[in-house]
Amino acid sequence: MNQLVEADDRQGGHASLATAALEARAKVLELQQRNASERVRRALYALAAEFTTVAAWSCIDLRDLDKARTYLHESSTFAGLSQDPPTAMRVWVNMAMLAYQRKNWPEQLAAAQAANASPAARRDPFFGSMGRVRLALAHSSLGDLRAARRSLGAAQENYRKAAEDERPRWTAFYGPAELNHLAAIILNHNGEPAEAEAMAHRSLAKIPAEFQRNRALATCQLALAQLRQGEPEQATASAATVFTIMEGAPLPGRMRTLIGDFHRDLFRLAPSTTYAHDWADRMRDEWSRT
């Protein structure tokens, strides 16, 4: 499992990662056919849910959203059988993310509410923070800016209260850097680009070196925030670093969507500038890699 998570940290979702996760799940489910104690069976179901969620997450990152939905429904079944609260929490968080990508705002809110009400979120402020920030994103998507701000503040407060406990490996992505990155997304949605830029800078200052995909995504938010403040040249320089961060690896579909949004806004605001044309040339070269 650790190897799969580390591959996702570096490159983001890709087809070979989803395939590897599903192959590992098949081996785990094969072990379920043998005699084992109830505790072992629950642990195996939790592991099956983990591998299935990795496959689903890879599909979300690739924007193969129908396949992601299928895997998440399977994962929710395994998580229920495992009776493991952190595993169930992960499934709800991914369901909220999938609904966001599908632009199904009511479903995004429902999944975020389920994550926030889950046993893991109630028992541990760390997971409570994770649930509250998903609520903030959902409220922002629905245009309820005050509720988004309120939930974001609660997520930040919960995180400050969280103890340094041992948690599953998949939670390693969630810390001050990711919370600030998600805050940047929320503030960009809320029409507050100056604050979004500040949060993106805070995020980038704390993202560990091995989290290349997360660094590239936070840089996308930085570029969008700068562009929306009327700084297209600076924003273009920021956006160009996304390709450098990814070190020639194909951009995951979710990142390509953000870069596409940036490209359209740039050419709406500054279509005739030299830096816009240089950006278009760079983007064309990078897109040709995939």
Side-chain angles (χ1 to χ4, degrees), residues 21 58 69 190 214 255:
S58 294
R69 189 180 182 89
N190 283 12
N214 289 21
M255 199 179 300

Side-chain angles (χ1 to χ4, degrees), residues 192-198 222-232 269:
E192 301 173 85
E195 288 191 62
E197 180 181 5
L222 173 64
L224 288 167
Q226 291 169 335
L227 190 61
R228 290 164 185 172
Q229 292 177 83
E231 302 171 354
L269 294 171

Side-chain angles (χ1 to χ4, degrees), residues 146-164:
R146 291 181 65 183
R149 270 281 194 179
R150 188 166 57 249
S151 293
L152 176 59
Q156 292 165 331
E157 180 61 24
N158 274 0
Y159 189 81
R160 283 191 287 270
K161 293 178 179 177
E164 291 289 335

